[in-house]
Amino acid sequence: MTEPLPLFPTAQAPPSGQVDLTLTVTEERPRLRADAARNRTRLLEVAAELAAERGIGNVTMEAVATAAKVGKGTVFRRFGDRAGLMLALLDHHEQQLQTAFLTGPPPLGPDAPAAERLRAFGPAIIRHERAHRDLYLAAHGDLARHYSSPANHLRLGHLALLLRQLKAPGDIELVAHTLLGYLGTLLADHLLTQRGMSVERLAAGWYDLVERLGAAG
Amino acid sequence: MTEPLPLFPTAQAPPSGQVDLTLTVTEERPRLRADAARNRTRLLEVAAELAAERGIGNVTMEAVATAAKVGKGTVFRRFGDRAGLMLALLDHHEQQLQTAFLTGPPPLGPDAPAAERLRAFGPAIIRHERAHRDLYLAAHGDLARHYSSPANHLRLGHLALLLRQLKAPGDIELVAHTLLGYLGTLLADHLLTQRGMSVERLAAGWYDLVERLGAAG
DNA sequence: ACATTCAACGGACCACGGTCCGCTTGTTCC
DNA sequence: GGAACAAGCGGACCGTGGTCCGTTGAATGT
């Protein structure tokens, strides 16, 4: 229980302006006051800690507030609601994944051919979501928000980019949505745990999907 | 406000054994005591009424209980939780839709060729979900349950059936899931309201999808 | 008719998410 | 340094979903 790492840098990662893709507006956040920023990181640290020791599902907003020695109102002011806190927690892991396919090594990163990257994308997402399963489930409590989340938007843009590079036919944005839908946390989880499918089968399904939807017209 | 129709028959519609598809278990419900059944229908009627007059989002479980002159515990005993009540409400509309594509006229029903039916399926679902938008949103509060719901299972089985008739290649079950994912309430809603797409565009996307995923190997 | 049993009932009770508003404190500008 | 301002803070408060458990009364067998 000693504090090992300086995770959760004070400010949100600055928008790395590269891939814009003109799909949505990247909301700008107005910079926090010093004490607020301090509290923000404390809250995230504490929340992660509590989640680790008792499972994210058993972490109440009040508990987080108390453990971080702030009022409950502060937590809500900062994160909006429970899903917001979860999203913020998730954000950290999400960024790891993002760098993996934005700037990482092949086959995920930009040095591999588009078809390769597209193939690799699916299993990477599924693995990642499995690793942080409960957090994803908790965060997507409000599913409506999910589709507008920066993370999802980024994935979408990435897929659209690859599809365009492949000269895939049809309505690219819709095809990208279809592909992302296949990788959705809840669907994948359902297929794996309820229907007892193997990760390999899901991966094979993905390869097939990509081949049929990504093939040039 | 006069009571117009005898909706919500006392018992759940009996399982019409036809299309089984061996995809899940069809749970059997153990038959209710007379008073319980009476209460069940009263609750559903009252809930529908309240939903109509103040919007489903503003209908609390307690309000339903009070309006139906039963204790709150009774509501929860019957429907499990809020999502359960919503699902039960939805069930009625759902059955209309189901008969439309199980036994109705072409192009949805069994007298049209499989390719036609598959094409028609998408817009039909989207229209239906739009018509009952808020109910769907409220019901899918717990998304995990959604995938196991009988309604979803039926759609899945239907799609799988059509795909098989078309001799579509690949992992049929996964392809069916992909197609259904495209029609998901939340996704469709997001694309229509947030991203401002037209129903026509979604429909066109569906036709394209169906063509590429349903085409014989 | 009566006894037995057990699903169903009611509503007090609890926990948690979320809001509100009067007070405090960092920031900025002179 | 000090004044003016807005952002941040805390925690009492509220509504709602969900649980618990003692009581009631259908169903069923004799």
Side-chain angles (χ1 to χ4, degrees):
Chain A
M1 288 303 141
T2 62
E3 320 234 339
L5 286 176
L7 290 193
F8 304 121
T10 291
Q12 192 90 327
S16 64
Q18 32 182 346
V19 276
D20 186 67
L21 269 302
T22 67
L23 270 173
T24 65
V25 278
T26 8
E27 212 139 329
E28 199 53 89
R29 87 172 48 205
R31 243 248 309 292
L32 300 175
R33 226 168 69 174
D35 53 348
R38 221 170 24 241
N39 279 340
R40 191 188 131 91
T41 59
R42 269 240 310 288
L43 283 168
L44 285 174
E45 285 167 357
V46 160
E49 205 170 310
L50 288 181
E53 78 190 28
R54 70 176 76 158
I56 194 65
N58 300 324
V59 178
T60 72
M61 297 300 269
E62 192 148 24
V64 174
T66 307
K69 300 215 189 100
V70 299
K72 192 159 53 144
T74 303
V75 186
F76 281 94
R77 155 171 290 266
R78 192 67 358 160
F79 300 103
D81 56 10
R82 188 187 162 78
L85 174 58
M86 299 304 166
L87 242 7
L89 271 178
L90 210 42
D91 187 77
H92 175 250
H93 305 294
E94 200 70 49
Q95 285 183 27
Q96 283 181 258
L97 176 65
Q98 288 171 9
T99 56
F101 61 76
L102 285 182
T103 66
L108 237 43
D111 289 341
E116 273 304 314
R117 297 180 74 190
L118 194 50
R119 277 176 55 91
F121 185 80
I125 296 286
I126 289 185
R127 267 199 311 270
H128 187 262
E129 288 184 341
R130 285 214 337 158
H132 306 290
R133 178 172 179 276
D134 46 356
L135 204 45
Y136 272 100
L137 293 183
H140 295 355
D142 183 356
L143 261 270
R145 213 199 255 46
H146 165 67
Y147 288 104
S148 327
S149 78
N152 202 61
H153 175 235
L154 186 63
R155 293 180 185 184
L156 211 51
H158 185 63
L159 284 179
L161 174 74
L162 294 180
L163 287 170
R164 262 190 225 102
Q165 288 183 0
L166 285 171
K167 304 220 185 313
D171 192 322
I172 297 290
E173 188 174 346
L174 288 183
V175 173
H177 271 292
T178 306
L179 288 176
L180 254 196
Y182 181 89
L183 302 176
T185 315
L186 287 102
L187 177 55
D189 189 61
H190 171 74
L191 294 179
L192 289 168
T193 66
Q194 310 293 291
R195 312 253 341 111
M197 292 191 186
S198 67
V199 181
E200 289 71 31
R201 183 169 171 195
L202 287 194
W206 170 260
Y207 298 145
D208 181 47
L209 205 55
V210 157
E211 198 166 312
R212 284 203 259 171
L213 294 183
Chain B
M1 284 307 140
T2 61
E3 320 234 341
L5 286 177
L7 290 192
F8 303 122
T10 290
Q12 192 89 326
S16 65
Q18 30 182 346
V19 276
D20 186 66
L21 269 302
T22 67
L23 270 172
T24 65
V25 278
T26 9
E27 212 139 327
E28 199 53 90
R29 88 171 47 204
R31 245 249 303 297
L32 301 175
R33 226 168 68 175
D35 52 350
R38 221 171 23 240
N39 279 339
R40 190 190 133 91
T41 60
R42 269 240 311 289
L43 283 169
L44 285 174
E45 283 166 357
V46 160
E49 204 170 309
L50 289 181
E53 78 189 27
R54 70 176 74 157
I56 193 66
N58 301 323
V59 177
T60 73
M61 298 300 270
E62 192 149 24
V64 174
T66 308
K69 301 214 188 101
V70 300
K72 191 155 62 140
T74 303
V75 185
F76 281 95
R77 155 173 290 265
R78 191 67 357 155
F79 300 103
D81 56 11
R82 186 184 164 80
L85 174 58
M86 299 304 165
L87 242 9
L89 271 178
L90 211 42
D91 187 77
H92 174 249
H93 305 293
E94 200 69 50
Q95 285 182 26
Q96 283 180 257
L97 177 66
Q98 287 171 10
T99 55
F101 61 76
L102 284 183
T103 65
L108 237 44
D111 289 341
E116 273 303 315
R117 298 181 73 190
L118 194 50
R119 275 177 57 90
F121 185 80
I125 296 286
I126 289 185
R127 268 198 311 270
H128 187 263
E129 289 185 342
R130 278 200 359 139
H132 306 290
R133 179 174 177 275
D134 47 354
L135 204 45
Y136 272 100
L137 294 183
H140 295 352
D142 184 356
L143 262 269
R145 216 198 254 45
H146 164 67
Y147 289 103
S148 328
S149 79
N152 202 61
H153 175 234
L154 186 62
R155 294 180 184 185
L156 211 53
H158 184 64
L159 284 179
L161 175 72
L162 294 179
L163 286 170
R164 262 189 226 101
Q165 289 182 359
L166 285 171
K167 306 222 185 311
D171 192 322
I172 297 291
E173 187 174 345
L174 288 182
V175 172
H177 271 290
T178 305
L179 288 176
L180 253 195
Y182 181 89
L183 302 175
T185 315
L186 287 103
L187 177 55
D189 190 62
H190 170 74
L191 294 178
L192 289 168
T193 68
Q194 310 293 290
R195 310 252 344 111
M197 293 191 185
S198 67
V199 181
E200 289 73 29
R201 183 169 171 194
L202 288 194
W206 171 260
Y207 298 146
D208 182 46
L209 205 55
V210 157
E211 198 167 312
R212 284 203 257 171
L213 294 183

